[in-house]
Amino acid sequence: MKYYISKTDVSMDASGRLSGSERVLTKPDTLRATQNSLRRLTAIGIENLHICKHPANSRRWGKLQRAQNKMRKTRKLTMADVAKDLAELDAESKEQENDS
């Protein structure tokens, strides 16, 4: 049997709702290699780590990996976004000039 390491993230949004997600950090490997990886990751200060079993023909690791990739993708930057950012920068610079 193979094993992998995952990390659980739990957060609370502004309305007070809890949301959680699980991220895979390693590929499935032997138990000994996974335990060594867990030891190294905890030594550098990463919290909420878990060793998960990966039985043969299991699809859980792949599902988590695909969900992780979807969360990472961002939308393209538009000219409206750039204009908004420039307006904010102008407002901040004017405030700093007035304070001086």
Side-chain angles (χ1 to χ4, degrees):
M1 180 165 306
K2 298 207 174 208
Y3 300 86
Y4 62 92
I5 296 175
S6 68
K7 181 179 192 291
T8 305
D9 297 317
V10 179
S11 62
M12 186 178 295
D13 62 2
S15 64
R17 292 183 66 185
L18 286 176
S19 64
S21 64
E22 183 178 1
R23 294 186 287 165
V24 293
L25 300 179
T26 61
K27 290 183 178 180
D29 205 351
T30 61
L31 179 61
R32 185 176 203 141
T34 305
Q35 287 174 335
N36 285 335
S37 296
L38 179 68
R39 181 181 51 80
R40 287 186 192 107
L41 292 172
T42 53
I44 61 174
I46 301 175
E47 297 176 344
N48 303 326
L49 297 176
H50 313 281
I51 292 181
C52 302
K53 289 183 181 180
H54 183 67
N57 300 324
S58 174
R59 295 176 175 253
R60 186 169 189 271
W61 185 84
K63 285 181 182 181
L64 290 171
Q65 191 71 30
R66 284 188 292 279
Q68 200 171 314
N69 287 340
K70 286 180 186 176
M71 288 175 44
R72 186 182 55 182
K73 292 182 180 178
T74 59
R75 65 180 183 88
K76 292 184 179 180
L77 189 66
T78 63
M79 290 302 288
D81 296 333
V82 173
K84 181 181 173 184
D85 292 340
L86 287 174
E88 288 177 10
L89 286 173
D90 288 340
E92 288 177 7
S93 65
K94 288 179 183 178
E95 287 178 15
Q96 287 179 357
E97 289 176 5
N98 291 337
D99 291 340
S100 304

